[in-house]
């Protein structure tokens, strides 16, 4: 009976409208807001942790400590999937709404996104299954960013090499059309040689290096050189 009365109370809005409203409340959650304010930094930390450049930097003990701390710092931001943080329940066809009249709450879940929230109708508030101390999470994130930027300051030569590499990549991208033409002609020559006599088809070492350079992801030069991004 309580479920029935609760449904009667909320019937003025459709299921889709309630999901949209819950989604708006979801993005107002402190953890979700913190994520969106620092999305670039969070992505950079995750990428930097796996970067081979760490192994050519000075003070390996400091770097090892920084990498170990990431597992604690990133725990709140790994509690949901990337797409859940980015889109919430937007464009989610598999969203399921369960009502609980006794407490006047809704449970909204999306199996595809691994997302589950509880919406309190009376207080117009969303709560997550896993709640974190957002103030502490923000402080830890800022500390992690500062520590890595200190590491960068001590390894200026690595950054300078990255900037040189960025110039190489920019130059190669400028001539990419001509590189593809060379590759096409080389392929024709190789096929011609194969038709004439048994020849092992091998990639041209120089062109292979060019392709590897073009495929490498390099930090955006427009960002401040000393930043974690």
């Amino acid at each position: 009976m309580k479920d029935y009365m609760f449904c009667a109370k909320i019937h003025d809005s459709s299921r889709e409208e309630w999901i949209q409203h819950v989604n708006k409340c979801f993005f107002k959650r402190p953890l979700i807001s913190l994520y969106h304010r620092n999305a670039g930094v969070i992505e950079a930390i995750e990428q930097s942790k796996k970067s081979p450049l760490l192994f050519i930097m000075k003070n390996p003990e400091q770097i090892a400590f920084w990498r170990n701390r990431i597992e604690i710092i990133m725990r709140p931001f790994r509690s949901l999937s990337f797409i859940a943080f980015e889109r919430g329940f937007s464009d989610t066809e598999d969203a399921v709404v369960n009502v609980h009249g006794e407490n006047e709450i809704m449970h909204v879940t999306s199996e595809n996104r691994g997302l589950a929230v509880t919406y309190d109708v009376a207080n117009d508030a969303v709560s997550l299954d896993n709640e974190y101390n957002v103030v502490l999470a923000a402080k830890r994130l800022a500390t992690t960013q500062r520590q890595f930027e200190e590491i960068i300051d001590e390894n200026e030569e690595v950054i300078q090499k990255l900037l040189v590499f960025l110039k190489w990549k920019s130059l190669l991208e400028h001539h990419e059309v001509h590189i593809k033409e060379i590759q096409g002609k080389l392929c024709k020559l190789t096929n011609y040689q194969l038709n004439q006599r048994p020849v092992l088809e091998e990639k041209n070492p120089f062109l292979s290096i060019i392709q590897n350079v073009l495929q490498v992801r390099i930090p955006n030069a427009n960002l401040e050189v000393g930043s974690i991004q």
Side-chain angles (χ1 to χ4, degrees), residues 105-108 116-120 125-129:
I105 60 175
M106 299 180 189
H107 289 305
V108 185
V117 302
T118 300
Y119 174 66
D120 186 330
V126 160
S127 59
L128 306 174
D129 284 352

Side-chain angles (χ1 to χ4, degrees), residues 93-108:
E93 297 179 357
D94 73 325
V96 176
V97 180
N98 292 312
V99 298
H100 296 268
E102 186 170 357
N103 299 313
E104 294 196 351
I105 60 175
M106 299 180 189
H107 289 305
V108 185

Side-chain angles (χ1 to χ4, degrees), residues 4-206:
Y4 178 82
M5 292 174 66
F6 178 59
C7 288
K9 181 179 177 179
I10 63 175
H11 84 286
D12 286 342
S13 298
S14 66
R15 172 185 174 278
E16 288 72 24
E17 287 172 333
W18 276 115
I19 292 174
Q20 290 175 9
H21 181 69
V22 169
N23 198 42
K24 288 180 181 178
C25 294
F26 168 77
F27 282 111
K28 292 178 182 177
R29 291 296 303 163
L31 178 63
I32 310 305
S33 299
L34 177 64
Y35 170 87
H36 283 277
R37 289 197 305 272
N38 297 276
V41 172
I42 292 167
E43 182 185 3
I45 289 173
E46 292 283 25
Q47 292 293 331
S48 299
K49 181 198 170 190
K50 300 178 287 186
S51 174
L53 293 175
L54 294 177
F55 299 101
I56 63 170
M57 289 184 174
K58 300 175 184 175
N59 296 330
E61 296 85 1
Q62 182 184 8
I63 293 170
F65 174 78
W66 181 81
R67 292 179 78 239
N68 289 332
R69 289 284 296 167
I70 287 175
E71 298 305 316
I72 298 171
I73 281 112
M74 299 306 291
R75 197 173 293 157
F77 308 109
R78 292 172 179 170
S79 61
L80 298 174
S81 65
F82 168 78
I83 193 166
F85 271 112
E86 288 291 326
R87 301 197 58 80
F89 292 100
S90 303
D91 308 320
T92 304
E93 297 179 357
D94 73 325
V96 176
V97 180
N98 292 312
V99 298
H100 296 268
E102 186 170 357
N103 299 313
E104 294 196 351
I105 60 175
M106 299 180 189
H107 289 305
V108 185
T109 60
S110 169
E111 187 175 348
N112 287 341
R113 296 186 181 175
L115 182 58
V117 302
T118 300
Y119 174 66
D120 186 330
V121 175
N123 296 312
D124 190 29
V126 160
S127 59
L128 306 174
D129 284 352
N130 296 315
E131 297 288 354
Y132 292 89
N133 186 326
V134 176
V135 174
L136 182 60
K139 287 181 179 178
R140 285 174 170 175
L141 188 64
T143 300
T144 303
Q145 182 179 1
R146 177 180 53 78
Q147 287 173 341
F148 190 77
E149 288 170 359
E150 289 173 359
I151 292 172
I152 290 173
D153 289 340
E154 294 177 5
N155 291 274
E156 186 178 351
E157 67 278 6
V158 176
I159 302 303
Q160 293 305 318
K161 288 175 182 177
L162 266 180
L163 293 176
V164 171
F165 202 76
L166 185 63
K167 290 179 182 178
W168 290 352
K169 184 175 179 181
S170 177
L171 185 63
L172 289 174
E173 286 173 347
H174 181 71
H175 294 289
E176 197 166 0
V177 174
H178 304 296
I179 293 167
K180 287 181 179 178
E181 287 178 3
I182 293 169
Q183 284 179 313
K185 290 177 181 178
L186 182 64
C187 183
K188 288 179 182 179
L189 284 170
T190 304
N191 289 335
Y192 174 78
Q193 289 174 335
L194 285 170
N195 292 331
Q196 296 299 313
R197 62 181 186 276
V199 179
L200 288 175
E201 186 177 359
E202 295 180 356
K203 287 185 177 180
N204 182 282
F206 180 67

